[in-house]
Amino acid sequence: MTYELDATDDREAPDANDSGDGDDGASDPGGSGGTLDSSLGVTVPDEHVGAFVAQALEDPERATTWDDVVDAMVAPAARDAWANLSRVERAAEILSKAADYDERAIERFEAVPLDAGEADVRDGVDEGLRCRRNADTFRDGVAAAYGDGLLDDEAIVAALKQSAFETDLVGRREDLLERIDEVYDVEYCPYGGTLMDAEEGPEPETDHGETW
């Protein structure tokens, strides 16, 4: 079957005078430049669709567990309601929360001026980076749930479809951060997930105290 990840790029077409130096193709999952209003279609055998989705959600630079993200997302007072959700619903909620963090990171990065002093933009950049870490960590927790057998093939695919998962959010987020980095030399690791074309690096210890 052909499994399609939503990779629609809804940005305006670049200006003819724009050299494109600030865009390394991060929003193009295929790494070939792509076209606007396109999506990524990949032919995947039915028996491998679940593993394909899990790999798309995984961030090799993180070592997240399902319990990590549940503990961070679900308040003690909400645990009974959480327990009443199906596993698919729980995973969909976490993926939607990840998308919410992507949107919040984008808002922060969009608000960073490119003509101010470094000290004036530090708080906005740091908050954007925090939201970015949370988004990637939440998705990685869902991938870990699949790897640990808490979600089967059908469940992880269903959760993805029910959630607010959008790869173009990640691409937009990374484009904005790269442009900020060109001006302010931000200390951050380039996106390490497999949602888009990126080299996998070593998996460091994850300090979730710094994440949430």
Side-chain angles (χ1 to χ4, degrees):
M1 66 175 293
T2 299
Y3 191 82
E4 184 173 283
L5 289 180
D6 180 6
T8 302
D9 188 341
D10 58 1
R11 292 172 296 168
E12 295 180 358
D15 187 89
N17 296 320
D18 187 354
S19 64
D21 290 341
D23 184 357
D24 65 355
S27 60
D28 175 15
S32 59
T35 59
L36 296 178
D37 298 325
S38 64
S39 59
L40 173 65
V42 180
T43 301
V44 180
D46 290 346
E47 64 270 23
H48 298 306
V49 169
F52 170 79
V53 171
Q55 186 178 23
L57 299 175
E58 180 186 15
D59 186 343
E61 294 186 355
R62 305 193 183 278
T64 316
T65 68
W66 174 257
D67 288 342
D68 287 334
V69 294
V70 172
D71 289 344
M73 178 173 165
V74 185
R79 289 302 172 95
D80 288 343
W82 179 260
N84 289 328
L85 298 178
S86 69
R87 289 187 177 181
V88 170
E89 291 171 328
R90 295 174 196 171
E93 287 290 327
I94 288 176
L95 291 175
S96 293
K97 186 65 175 179
D100 177 65
Y101 275 120
D102 281 330
E103 291 174 350
R104 288 162 61 181
I106 288 170
E107 289 174 2
R108 291 290 182 170
F109 292 151
E110 285 179 335
V112 173
L114 299 181
D115 57 356
E118 185 173 347
D120 297 328
V121 304
R122 184 173 301 141
D123 288 347
V125 172
D126 286 348
E127 177 61 14
L129 289 172
R130 185 188 69 84
C131 292
R132 176 180 181 265
R133 285 193 301 271
N134 284 351
D136 295 344
T137 301
F138 273 49
R139 278 188 290 266
D140 193 48
V142 174
Y146 176 82
D148 292 339
L150 300 176
L151 296 171
D152 60 19
D153 290 354
E154 292 183 2
I156 196 170
V157 171
L160 190 76
K161 291 180 178 178
Q162 290 184 24
S163 72
F165 174 85
E166 294 181 41
T167 57
D168 60 310
L169 282 178
V170 182
R172 174 62 176 161
R173 185 195 75 184
E174 295 302 287
D175 285 347
L176 289 168
L177 181 54
E178 182 178 347
R179 290 174 183 135
I180 293 170
D181 177 54
E182 289 175 354
V183 177
Y184 298 110
D185 192 21
V186 179
E187 184 177 348
Y188 77 102
C189 292
Y191 181 72
T194 53
L195 288 168
M196 294 175 295
D197 188 20
E199 293 183 2
E200 295 186 7
E203 184 177 273
E205 293 295 327
T206 301
D207 184 350
H208 292 299
E210 294 292 327
T211 303
W212 317 127

